Amino acid sequence: GAVVSQHPSWVICKSGTSVKIECRSLDFQATTMFWYRQFPKQSLMLMATSNEGSKATYEQGVEKDKFLINHASLTLSTLTVTSAHPEDSSFYICSARTQSDRINTGELFFGEGSRLTVL
Amino acid sequence: QKEVEQNSGPLSVPEGAIASLNCTYSDRGSQSFFWYRQYSGKSPELIMFIYSNGDKEDGRFTAQLNKASQYVSLLIRDSQPSDSATYLCAVNEGYSTLTFGKGTMLLVSP
């Protein structure tokens, strides 16, 4: 399958600081990337849909000013958690869909995930 | 609101047995269905997808879809301890993103 790389895998930060997470599609171009958040023993919750060259579409209840998403190229999307607080501690996972004829499958390939701990 | 329901488990099976994982969905317009496996602390990895009613087999895995009943299942034959993980059912309608169930934890004992 397609490869999606996410960095960093682990990050610990102090409350009030900002953290940036990168998501890269390594062997394909992704016009659309998705950012999920997963709390312990919970399912994946979609935060936002990131579209290359345009503003991200946020799910209800997700603060767009707190979770800044940039999708400047077809292979890179970034999520910045601004003024992080302990309740933002979670597992953040990006995913991307290929542009080939397989797009109709809705198949998603996931990054490795980034575990954020806010002290 | 689209919903995907799974029994949280854990589902415990002995090594070599068949594990049966079930999933129901609420949106009759759903077109494609996915099973992901997620090990603790890791991101999900795609196991199988299915679009048509019936069975689809891939190695030890068989996905079954019944659109009339809005039901999709995953059978794992000859279960191995390495199959122990949480299995996520996901449903997609056209080009929209996936809606995930909460997952079923599978434990395969040696």
Side-chain angles (χ1 to χ4, degrees):
Chain A
V3 179
V4 177
S5 178
Q6 196 171 335
H7 177 81
S9 302
W10 295 83
V11 57
I12 300 173
C13 69
K14 293 182 179 180
S15 184
T17 61
S18 295
V19 174
K20 179 185 285 188
I21 301 170
E22 294 187 347
C23 178
R24 295 180 184 273
S25 54
L26 297 185
D27 53 359
F28 67 101
Q29 293 183 328
T31 55
T32 304
M33 291 185 175
F34 304 91
W35 286 95
Y36 290 86
R37 179 168 55 183
Q38 187 177 37
F39 292 106
K41 299 188 185 301
Q42 298 295 314
S43 187
L44 297 168
M45 297 301 297
L46 179 66
M47 298 176 65
T49 301
S50 170
N51 299 299
E52 186 267 335
S54 64
K55 292 182 179 180
T57 303
Y58 290 82
E59 295 299 301
Q60 189 174 6
V62 178
E63 300 175 57
K64 62 180 181 180
D65 294 329
K66 180 172 183 61
F67 299 98
L68 302 180
I69 292 173
N70 183 278
H71 194 157
S73 76
L74 287 173
T75 60
L76 174 65
S77 176
T78 61
L79 167 68
T80 301
V81 182
T82 63
S83 186
H85 291 283
E87 58 264 31
D88 298 323
S89 299
S90 186
F91 192 45
Y92 292 86
I93 313 172
C94 73
S95 66
R97 178 182 287 150
T98 59
Q99 274 190 294
S100 70
D101 57 1
R102 295 166 68 191
I103 192 172
N104 287 325
T105 73
E107 211 171 327
L108 290 184
F109 296 94
F110 287 88
E112 304 93 330
S114 299
R115 187 162 300 283
L116 170 64
T117 301
V118 184
L119 302 177
Chain B
Q1 183 174 350
K2 301 175 185 177
E3 292 184 351
V4 178
E5 299 287 342
Q6 292 181 260
N7 188 316
S8 61
L11 172 66
S12 296
V13 299
E15 184 175 357
I18 296 176
S20 177
L21 304 162
N22 304 315
C23 171
T24 60
Y25 59 95
S26 63
D27 188 351
R28 283 194 172 276
S30 300
Q31 298 181 5
S32 46
F33 308 85
F34 304 82
W35 283 100
Y36 286 85
R37 176 174 61 196
Q38 186 176 25
Y39 291 110
S40 180
K42 303 294 184 181
S43 65
E45 54 180 328
L46 181 67
I47 297 176
M48 291 188 70
F49 55 86
I50 185 169
Y51 314 124
S52 303
N53 277 325
D55 295 358
K56 179 182 179 182
E57 185 174 322
D58 184 1
R60 295 187 296 113
F61 300 96
T62 299
Q64 299 175 317
L65 175 62
N66 184 325
K67 290 187 177 181
S69 300
Q70 295 175 240
Y71 175 93
V72 59
S73 65
L74 179 70
L75 300 178
I76 306 175
R77 289 182 298 281
D78 188 23
S79 296
Q80 301 297 309
S82 58
D83 294 327
S84 298
T86 295
Y87 289 80
L88 302 171
C89 173
V91 175
N92 169 272
E93 178 186 352
Y95 285 87
S96 68
T97 187
L98 298 183
T99 300
F100 285 86
K102 291 187 176 181
T104 297
M105 181 183 293
L106 172 66
L107 298 176
V108 181
S109 55

